């Protein structure tokens, strides 16, 4: 009987203590969870403005239109003189690569995304040129 009373008093005390904790404290998120960043999954699909350094002015800026149909990505490059369709488009997580033909020369482009920006390079017979871009909102 003493043992039963001992357990009963223990459970009674536990219930009283749990009820005395304010509701706000129970519902409050721990501080360490409040400072965690919100991670959104980056996707290449969308419209990107870009610039290229050390190239002729007509190729120094443009717009990448990246679309996806079923499982295949497609890239269209809009320049001031017209648009070019990319070939050999490959996407691997944060990396996008493709080839375009400019004035009869094949140019390989390799880009790496950081959420809403990218950096990369274009490789042509004339050399390697740095690219950078931002996603249009």
């Amino acid at each position: 009987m003493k043992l039963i009373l001992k357990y009963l008093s223990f459970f009674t005390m536990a219930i009283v203590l749990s009820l005395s904790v304010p509701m706000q404290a129970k519902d409050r998120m721990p501080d360490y969870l409040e400072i965690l960043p919100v991670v959104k999954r980056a996707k290449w699909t969308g419209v990107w403005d870009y610039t290229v350094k050390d190239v002729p002015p007509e190729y120094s800026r443009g717009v990448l239109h990246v679309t996806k149909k079923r499982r295949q990505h497609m890239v269209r490059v809009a320049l001031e003189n017209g648009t070019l369709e990319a070939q050999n488009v490959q996407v691997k997580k944060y990396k996008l690569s493709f080839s375009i033909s400019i004035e009869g020369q094949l140019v390989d482009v390799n880009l790496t995304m950081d959420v809403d920006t990218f950096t990369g390079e274009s490789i042509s017979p004339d050399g390697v040129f740095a690219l950078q871009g931002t996603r249009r909102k």
Side-chain angles (χ1 to χ4, degrees), residues 6-25:
K6 194 180 227 181
Y7 282 119
L8 187 59
S9 66
F10 173 76
F11 287 120
T12 305
M13 185 62 120
I15 290 171
V16 168
L17 286 175
S18 69
L19 291 176
S20 66
V21 175
M23 287 300 284
Q24 292 173 348

Side-chain angles (χ1 to χ4, degrees), residues 2 5-6 9-11 22 24-25 29 34 36 48-49 64 75-77 80 85 87 91 93 105 111 119 124-125 137:
K2 282 185 176 183
L5 286 175
K6 194 180 227 181
S9 66
F10 173 76
F11 287 120
Q24 292 173 348
M29 186 183 305
E34 291 176 359
L36 290 176
W48 301 80
D49 293 306
L64 291 179
V75 176
R76 188 171 26 117
V77 181
E80 64 181 51
E85 295 293 326
Q87 307 156 14
V91 174
K93 292 189 180 182
Q105 295 183 351
L111 306 174
T119 57
S124 74
K137 299 287 180 185

Side-chain angles (χ1 to χ4, degrees), residues 35-80:
I35 61 171
L36 290 176
V38 176
V39 178
K40 73 178 187 180
R41 187 171 176 211
K43 295 181 181 180
W44 277 106
T45 54
V47 180
W48 301 80
D49 293 306
Y50 74 91
T51 58
V52 186
K53 293 183 179 178
D54 304 322
V55 296
E58 61 270 20
Y59 301 113
S60 65
R61 65 181 60 248
V63 180
L64 291 179
H65 296 270
V66 183
T67 57
K68 185 176 181 182
K69 188 172 185 178
R70 295 189 182 110
R71 294 182 151 203
Q72 181 65 40
H73 283 85
M74 292 160 282
V75 176
R76 188 171 26 117
V77 181
L79 301 166
E80 64 181 51

Side-chain angles (χ1 to χ4, degrees), residues 9 11 28 43 70 101-102 110 113 127:
S9 66
F11 287 120
R28 189 164 177 263
K43 295 181 181 180
R70 295 189 182 110
S101 179
I102 298 178
N110 299 303
M113 179 194 338

